Amino acid sequence: MPRTGRLSDVLVFTRTTAYRHDSIPAGRAALRELGEEYGFGVECSEDPSVFTDASLAGRGAVVFLSTSGDVLTPDGRAALRRRVSDGCGFMGVHSAACTEYDWPYYGELLGARFAGHPAFQPGTVLIEDPDHPATRPLPPRWDWNDEWYDFRSNPRHLPGVRVLATIAETGYEGGGMGADHPLVWCRESGAGRSFYTALGHAKAAYTDPAFRAHLLGGLRWAAR
């Protein structure tokens, strides 16, 4: 039976074929707990065969949680693209930007691709758009510990991208993007929506109330 197209049905995909973050189990647990608390269902999978028209039908959102490398089959790519075009939300978390480098559509959906990062360290996240559900719960200057991702291009330069938060490179060592360094953004994608946050490297992030509120807000926005 087709699923109802609501946030009550979310697929969390965590397959990796390159680097694997040890925070993935904590991330899965956090999203399941948010689902239990806020009344939506969460299915977690690492099986690429779940990406079919029948399986994705009616899902409110698909989350790529710290995926890496090539994780989908050609048929799975096509099914995901069709579902997003039909209105499914997409959320990428952290190393979702290190995923499907050879699939141009995925790069357009996400908005930017990972280039590198310095050592895990503290920094200050600057909230650029406090009216978005993902950033509304956060202070204007949010002190946080993470891997501060650099990207191959600045997503702000793409049509329709709404940058929500940046990182002040003056507050940590090794930044490579300069004065304008987006970390969190969103965009419309056909009838669907795409949200990406570069945050979420460490296990501890997924038990932090502010970060969980950030994830929940991004997921709700993506799923309308």
Side-chain angles (χ1 to χ4, degrees), residues 2 88 148 168 170:
C88 181
W148 306 114
T170 55

Side-chain angles (χ1 to χ4, degrees), residues 10 17 20 24 38 40 55 82 96-97 104 115 124 146 153 189-190 194 210 222:
V10 174
T17 60
R20 186 170 182 86
I24 286 174
Y38 292 95
F40 59 91
S55 177
R82 285 191 293 267
T124 301
D146 222 304
S153 60
S189 184
S194 173

Side-chain angles (χ1 to χ4, degrees), residues 155-175:
R156 194 188 299 277
H157 300 155
L158 291 176
V161 168
R162 177 182 172 188
V163 173
L164 306 177
T166 61
I167 177 71
E169 287 193 356
T170 55
Y172 71 99
E173 295 183 358

Side-chain angles (χ1 to χ4, degrees), residues 57-104:
R59 290 192 188 271
V62 173
V63 179
F64 274 33
L65 172 65
S66 288
T67 50
S68 69
D70 292 332
V71 295
L72 296 177
T73 66
D75 287 344
R77 287 178 172 182
L80 177 61
R81 182 170 186 167
R82 285 191 293 267
R83 184 68 194 104
V84 171
S85 295
D86 287 343
C88 181
F90 178 87
M91 182 166 85
V93 179
H94 199 51
S95 64
C98 309
T99 302
E100 295 289 340
Y101 279 106
D102 297 328
W103 185 22

